[in-house]
């Protein structure tokens, strides 16, 4: 696929994935995607018999689904009782070292 | 051998900590002092933590612990938690601007278990954004450096956890492993890291990257400490639908200095041939000789299918990531923008552009590509079929062999900036670790020796739920490597 075509693909993917990509980033992404997809194409060298079942998970136990119970979540007051970390309705994150 | 940041007190094992605290409860405060003084001295260079809890809070918790009846199996150990594991009331950023101010209202199951077992959370560790990376340079905040050489990366994505443990800024840590994210940093920092069997440890509260591949596991300085933590965090959890109903809590019993049986061990040629650093290979060969000297049978085995594991893994992981990360839209979580009079799609697109870093965007876009109409069959479906073939190959292998052994990484830790700009080079660091996740197997990385003052990680892996034997062989390696 040519570079121009990759740019078109990225435009389409950015619409589908809901991520805005600017022109400068689009150029470098085109180069990266081209190389990564080329790496992915290696699996096409492998002849896979039709009857092979795809494996989506390696979990073979009994799937346990829990009851959907309502409970109270932690409120802003509980997280920040005196309001010292509140800024424009949002909690200001703690300082990093 | 420990890196220069460690002191004698800060480097003690959980067993020694419990013993010293039982003799003199005040020792726990001296230990906390010592660890915090290491942090004060070196953290500004290493940058293992994103959020470090104030010492006063940690001391208060220690006081509460000492007043309780039992100090638990962790006995006041200072536990660092990777920043993609939810901690109630402590922000959990996932190494991303998107979650920069997210404070979870609940604890992940593993965090609850750590607390109930006498562990004290010391902080949240740096990581590649959303666990996407192998060097911890992809953090939205800052890179973490390797304690053995500040010019090198510590591996990733759980690099902060591995560095905190290696440099004695924590007793033990938790990481997560989707394609090698516990084992690779363990190898590059000279620590022990376990990726458990898929389903052995609850994923409840882990921020998802590749749900069919993710597992939480311990990182420790000693094999015994890793086993103690695995005993604490493993076991069935009704809140994780893929949690196995199996007996756990016995892993510590397997940590003995001699092989519990005359293991038949496979060395897969493809994992120790191409692109292996000469010094690294020398360490590996010497270790195999020593293992044979201990009565183990070591045999080389070919598995040509492994050459397809890297593309298979990245197709599946990126596809799952594109789906899992769809929830970050700037409304429920993440970067908040002015929404009045704007189209929802414009708000989403802008929030995701500002909130996600380059590697995350790249993986979401490629994941979207391999799942799109007309391409799904050629990429995602095909990768899922290759995954089946790989799984069957490993099943056949472990009908003959008890365990397998390889290098965790074929090379020494790369220099800072060496691989980050080339995605193919970056992804290739995971060459020996991704097949294990694809097959859902347990694996461990243990230091096997040193080359040019840098640690070399040995990967031990086996059939599902063979963690006991893996820990036993790892302990044997820990004993014989310096002989």
């Amino acid at each position: 696929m040519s570079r121009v075509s990759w740019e078109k693909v990225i435009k389409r993917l950015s619409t589908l994935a809901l991520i805005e990509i600017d022109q400068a980033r689009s150029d470098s992404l085109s180069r990266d995607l081209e190389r990564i997809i080329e790496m992915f194409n290696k699996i096409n060298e492998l002849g896979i018999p039709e009857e092979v079942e795809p494996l989506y998970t390696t979990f073979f136990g009994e799937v346990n689904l829990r009851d959907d119970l309502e409970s109270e979540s932690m409120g802003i007051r509980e997280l920040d009782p005196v309001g010292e970390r509140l800024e424009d309705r949002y909690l200001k994150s703690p300082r990093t070292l | 051998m420990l890196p220069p940041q460690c002191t004698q007190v800060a480097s003690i094992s959980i067993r020694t900590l419990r013993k010293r605290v039982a003799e003199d409860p005040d020792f726990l405060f001296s230990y906390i002092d010592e660890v915090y003084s290491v942090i004060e001295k070196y953290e500004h260079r290493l940058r293992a933590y994103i959020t470090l809890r104030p010492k006063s809070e940690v001391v208060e918790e220690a006081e509460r612990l000492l007043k309780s009846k039992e100090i638990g199996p962790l006995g006041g150990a200072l536990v660092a938690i990777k920043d993609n594991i939810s901690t109630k009331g402590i922000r959990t950023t996932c190494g991303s601007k998107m979650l920069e101010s997210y404070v979870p209202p609940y604890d992940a199951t593993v965090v609850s278990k750590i607390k109930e077992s006498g562990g004290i959370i010391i902080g949240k560790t740096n990581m590649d954004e959303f666990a996407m990376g192998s060097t911890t340079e992809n953090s939205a905040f800052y890179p973490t450096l390797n304690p053995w050489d500040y010019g090198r990366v510590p591996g990733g994505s759980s690099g902060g956890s591995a560095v905190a443990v290696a440099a004695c800024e924590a007793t033990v840590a938790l990481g997560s492993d989707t394609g090698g994210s516990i084992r690779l940093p363990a190898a590059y920092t000279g620590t022990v890291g376990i990726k458990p069997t898929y389903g052995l440890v609850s994923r409840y509260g882990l921020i998802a990257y590749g749900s069919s591949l993710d597992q939480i596991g311990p990182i420790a300085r000693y094999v015994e400490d890793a086993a103690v933590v695995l005993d604490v965090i493993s076991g069935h959890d009704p809140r994780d639908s893929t949690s196995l109903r199996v007996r756990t809590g016995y892993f510590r019993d397997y940590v003995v200095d001699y092989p519990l049986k005359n293991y038949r061990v496979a060395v897969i040629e493809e994992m120790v041939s191409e692109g292996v650093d000469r010094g690294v290979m020398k360490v590996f060969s010497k270790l195999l000789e020593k293992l044979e000297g201990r009565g183990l049978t070591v045999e080389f085995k070919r598995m040509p299918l492994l050459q397809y594991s890297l593309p298979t893994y990245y197709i599946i992981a990126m596809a799952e990531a594109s789906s899992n990360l769809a929830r970050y839209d700037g409304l429920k979580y993440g970067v908040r923008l002015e929404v009045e009079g704007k189209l929802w799609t414009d708000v989403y697109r802008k929030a995701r552009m500002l909130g996600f870093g380059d590697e995350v965007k790249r993986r979401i876009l490629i994941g979207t590509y391999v799942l799109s109409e007309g391409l799904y069959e050629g990429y995602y479906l095909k990768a899922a079929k290759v995954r089946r073939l790989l799984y069957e190959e490993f099943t056949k292998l472990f009908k003959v062999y008890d365990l397998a052994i390889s290098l965790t990484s074929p090379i020494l830790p790369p220099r800072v900036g060496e691989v980050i700009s080339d995605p193919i080079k970056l992804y290739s660091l995971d060459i020996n670790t991704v097949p294990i996740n694809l097959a859902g197997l347990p694996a461990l990385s243990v230091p096997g020796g040193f080359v040019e003052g840098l640690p070399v990680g040995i990967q031990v892996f086996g059939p599902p739920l063979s963690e006991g034997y893996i820990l036993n062989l790892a302990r044997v390696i820990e004993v014989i490597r310096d002989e």
Side-chain angles (χ1 to χ4, degrees), chain B residues 35-322:
Chain B
V35 171
Y36 270 87
S37 69
V38 172
I39 290 170
E40 268 169 37
K41 214 164 161 189
Y42 298 105
E43 177 59 13
H44 69 285
R45 293 294 305 275
L46 294 167
R47 313 218 79 175
Y49 288 98
I50 290 177
T51 304
L52 180 72
R53 292 185 74 197
K55 190 171 146 190
S56 56
E57 273 183 31
V58 169
V59 167
E60 268 175 40
E61 266 191 45
E63 282 167 352
R64 273 199 298 275
L65 179 70
L66 293 173
K67 278 179 196 157
S68 62
K69 278 186 192 163
E70 273 283 331
I71 58 164
L74 296 177
L78 301 177
V79 187
I81 309 283
K82 187 176 179 179
D83 215 17
N84 60 350
I85 301 173
S86 302
T87 40
K88 185 176 178 174
I90 306 176
R91 75 168 178 157
T92 299
T93 69
C94 226
S96 179
K97 291 276 177 209
M98 188 60 101
L99 293 176
E100 198 173 12
S101 53
Y102 170 59
V103 180
Y106 69 103
D107 274 332
T109 297
V110 288
V111 172
S112 302
K113 286 183 168 189
I114 291 280
K115 288 178 177 175
E116 285 158 16
S117 305
I120 300 172
I121 309 301
I122 181 167
K124 304 297 296 288
T125 55
N126 199 15
M127 56 181 285
D128 289 298
E129 186 177 5
F130 284 99
M132 297 179 188
S134 309
T135 61
T136 316
E137 292 170 289
N138 273 330
S139 165
F141 303 104
Y142 33 75
T144 296
L145 303 181
N146 194 313
W148 294 96
D149 178 348
Y150 292 145
R152 292 180 188 262
V153 300
S157 63
S158 313
S161 287
V163 169
V165 171
C168 295
E169 292 188 351
T171 321
V172 284
L174 294 185
S176 69
D177 191 315
T178 307
S181 286
I182 287 176
R183 289 160 287 155
L184 196 67
Y188 287 168
T189 59
T191 52
V192 179
I194 304 177
K195 182 262 162 203
T197 303
Y198 187 79
L200 187 74
V201 175
S202 168
R203 289 183 296 117
Y204 178 76
L206 170 70
I207 296 174
Y209 162 22
S211 306
S212 79
L213 303 155
D214 295 338
Q215 268 293 278
I216 295 173
I219 297 177
R221 283 187 290 276
Y222 314 103
V223 172
E224 188 185 38
D225 284 1
V228 170
V229 177
L230 188 61
D231 273 333
V232 166
I233 62 172
S234 57
H236 180 254
D237 178 13
R239 287 181 293 189
D240 174 359
S241 63
T242 59
S243 172
L244 288 166
R245 286 181 188 275
V246 288
R247 191 175 71 87
T248 57
Y250 57 85
F251 298 120
R252 163 67 193 79
D253 301 339
Y254 281 81
V255 184
V256 291
D257 296 357
Y258 53 87
L260 285 166
K261 61 188 264 191
N262 289 331
Y263 297 113
R264 199 163 175 203
V265 181
V267 178
I268 298 170
E269 280 182 34
E270 285 76 5
M271 290 173 126
V272 292
S273 49
E274 231 176 276
V276 180
D277 179 284
R278 196 178 290 178
V280 171
M281 192 61 205
K282 222 170 156 183
V283 169
F284 187 64
S285 305
K286 209 169 141 191
L287 196 76
L288 292 184
E289 276 174 32
K290 286 181 180 176
L291 287 173
E292 283 178 316
R294 288 282 174 128
L296 272 64
T297 305
V298 179
E299 287 174 3
F300 280 75
K301 192 88 185 113
R302 288 212 65 203
M303 201 186 272
L305 200 59
L306 279 188
Q307 63 182 297
Y308 302 102
S309 58
L310 209 57
T312 302
Y313 166 79
Y314 274 101
I315 290 170
I316 292 170
M318 290 183 189
E320 292 188 13
S322 74

Side-chain angles (χ1 to χ4, degrees), chain B residues 347-383:
Chain B
V347 176
Y348 276 28
R349 281 159 56 87
K350 192 89 180 170
R352 286 160 71 80
M353 181 190 84
L354 295 170
F356 290 140
D358 286 348
E359 184 60 32
V360 175
K361 284 178 198 157
R362 192 189 284 150
R363 293 191 193 200
I364 291 174
L365 291 181
I366 297 173
T368 307
Y369 180 80
V370 298
L371 289 175
S372 57
E373 196 182 354
L375 296 168
Y376 170 87
E377 288 79 6
Y379 291 108
Y380 185 71
L381 189 65
K382 195 151 194 182

Side-chain angles (χ1 to χ4, degrees), chain A residues 17 32 41 53 55 96-97, chain B residues 43 50 91 352 379 384 388:
Chain A
D32 291 347
N41 285 337
E53 284 290 318
L55 180 65
T96 53
L97 192 82
Chain B
E43 177 59 13
I50 290 177
R91 75 168 178 157
R352 286 160 71 80
Y379 291 108
R388 165 80 62 190

